[in-house]
Amino acid sequence: MSQKKRQYRIAVIPGDGTGPEVIREGVKVLNAAAAKHGFGLDTAFFDFGGERYLRTRETLPESAIEELKKFDAIYLGAIGHPSVKPGILEKGILLRIRFELDQYINLRPVKLYPGVECPLKGKGPEDIDYVVVRENTGDLYTGAGGFSMKGTPHEVAIQTSIYSRFQVDRCLKYAFDLTRKRNKKKTLALCGKTNVLTYVYDLWERAFHEMGETHYKDIKREYYHVDATCMWMVKNPEWFDVIVTGNMFGDIITDLGAITQGGMGIAAGGNINPEGVSMFEPIGGSAPKYTGQNVINPLAAICAGAMMLETLGESQAAASVEAAVMNVTGTKLKSLAAGRMGYSTSEVGDLVAERV
Ligand code: IPM
Ligand code: MN
């Protein structure tokens, strides 16, 4: 009996600055993985980003969201342009896709690969291997708030953190399931601030223990305040397995996590809707000053591609990309920093693709 070849439709948004350069290498590696593991990728490119905005004054065209919903996944480079006021592209493109496609999980692995210089004294790959599950739709990010008496000495600005039980529960469920699936320390840590944010993180904490007690007795539960979490991520990263937290704290602690795994050259994330269309991206920005020089590190984009393969169900392909990246960091690159890798952007892409 003949079996239909597995085929995935990928929306590619290279974006701004060095986004297109790193995405080119990511697509190269994804195609190598597809050839090796017997599936096909149909890519469709979208020009969303700063250049398009400056030309048209439109962040996303009317049809964009409906269009993106037709794909199996989205692969994003970077959004951010030096000539566009901060906030416009972030809100109009990145956050809008996250919200409208209900990508309610922002999954950010913190893993130190072999050969990568770690800023934490005495820590190696065996110490740094955990995942942050950042809630991706609520909190201070909902845009709830406003000004009154703007421009006067009595001006007031309010921005409110909002969480529903529904949002908290679906995020916690994802985090508990992931902790079980990883099957490592079987420990889920809630990162909050129950001593000050006595409403929002009270809700998180109650929901966390109720769910753990009822459905996840095999998973050990820990709680850390966000400030303490930062300390332990530096001093004892080996304690962590999976950390779950709200959107704002998740944003902050994942930059800290990223620098402990070698920085923006390697850190990748997935904006995941487990029931819908997910989007994968390097965590770093568009790095405009390196644009077009072929010096930026594409490994974060390549790792985001591996996460995409995992989510599409191509676990073997994902594992072979990750193994190839580890081989390249362990045996080839001098550094992960732009311009100091010992190779160009496209050469690093070639090195990984060859090893897939
Ligand atoms: C990130 C970024 C975004 C965020 C910005 C660009 C809106 O910092 O993906 O972490 O805050 O989520
Ligand atoms: Mn961030």
Side-chain angles (χ1 to χ4, degrees), residues 190-195 201 223-227 229 244-245 249:
L190 172 65
C191 163
K193 188 73 184 173
T194 53
N195 52 348
Y201 279 101
Y223 171 82
Y224 299 92
H225 292 321
V226 61
D227 43 358
T229 307
V244 63
T245 189
F249 294 162

Side-chain angles (χ1 to χ4, degrees), residues 108 134 141 251 254-255 283:
R108 297 188 160 180
R134 166 188 175 190
Y141 279 73
D251 176 48
T254 54
D255 265 30
I283 295 185

Side-chain angles (χ1 to χ4, degrees), residues 95-258:
L95 297 180
R96 188 150 163 234
I97 296 174
R98 287 180 183 170
F99 287 146
E100 294 203 21
L101 295 182
D102 205 19
Q103 294 163 341
Y104 61 87
I105 299 297
N106 196 327
L107 188 64
R108 297 188 160 180
V110 181
K111 185 166 176 179
L112 181 66
Y113 286 146
V116 174
E117 202 191 321
C118 176
L120 307 182
K121 194 172 105 197
K123 301 294 178 188
E126 60 292 351
D127 302 305
I128 304 183
D129 181 8
Y130 56 95
V131 180
V132 178
V133 174
R134 166 188 175 190
E135 200 290 329
N136 212 28
T137 61
D139 207 341
L140 289 161
Y141 279 73
T142 56
F147 300 107
S148 65
M149 294 171 280
K150 193 172 180 187
T152 75
H154 296 284
E155 175 169 350
V156 176
I158 301 180
Q159 199 129 18
T160 310
S161 169
I162 299 182
Y163 266 117
S164 68
R165 177 78 192 228
F166 173 80
Q167 283 175 310
V168 170
D169 274 342
R170 67 182 182 173
C171 178
L172 289 171
K173 178 176 186 302
Y174 184 93
F176 274 115
D177 284 339
L178 177 67
T179 312
R180 192 177 268 166
K181 185 164 159 231
R182 268 170 69 84
N183 200 18
K184 294 206 164 154
K185 292 188 181 45
K186 296 259 210 157
T187 302
L188 179 60
L190 172 65
C191 163
K193 188 73 184 173
T194 53
N195 52 348
V196 176
L197 304 182
T198 51
Y199 306 121
V200 162
Y201 279 101
D202 185 84
L203 169 58
W204 274 89
E205 196 180 34
R206 273 182 288 119
F208 177 61
H209 290 301
E210 274 174 38
M211 189 176 288
E213 206 47 50
T214 320
H215 300 291
Y216 299 93
K217 281 239 195 274
D218 53 323
I219 305 299
K220 189 166 165 248
R221 274 169 273 140
E222 291 180 341
Y223 171 82
Y224 299 92
H225 292 321
V226 61
D227 43 358
T229 307
C230 292
M231 270 188 347
W232 301 128
M233 281 170 68
V234 170
K235 178 134 193 304
N236 298 105
E238 66 281 2
W239 285 357
F240 295 114
D241 180 6
V242 179
I243 300 177
V244 63
T245 189
N247 206 347
M248 188 75 256
F249 294 162
D251 176 48
I252 299 165
I253 70 169
T254 54
D255 265 30
L256 175 57

Side-chain angles (χ1 to χ4, degrees), residues 18-37:
T18 52
E21 288 165 65
V22 298
I23 284 297
R24 192 175 306 130
E25 302 316 309
V27 169
K28 187 190 278 176
V29 171
L30 287 169
N31 282 329
K36 163 104 188 285
H37 293 272

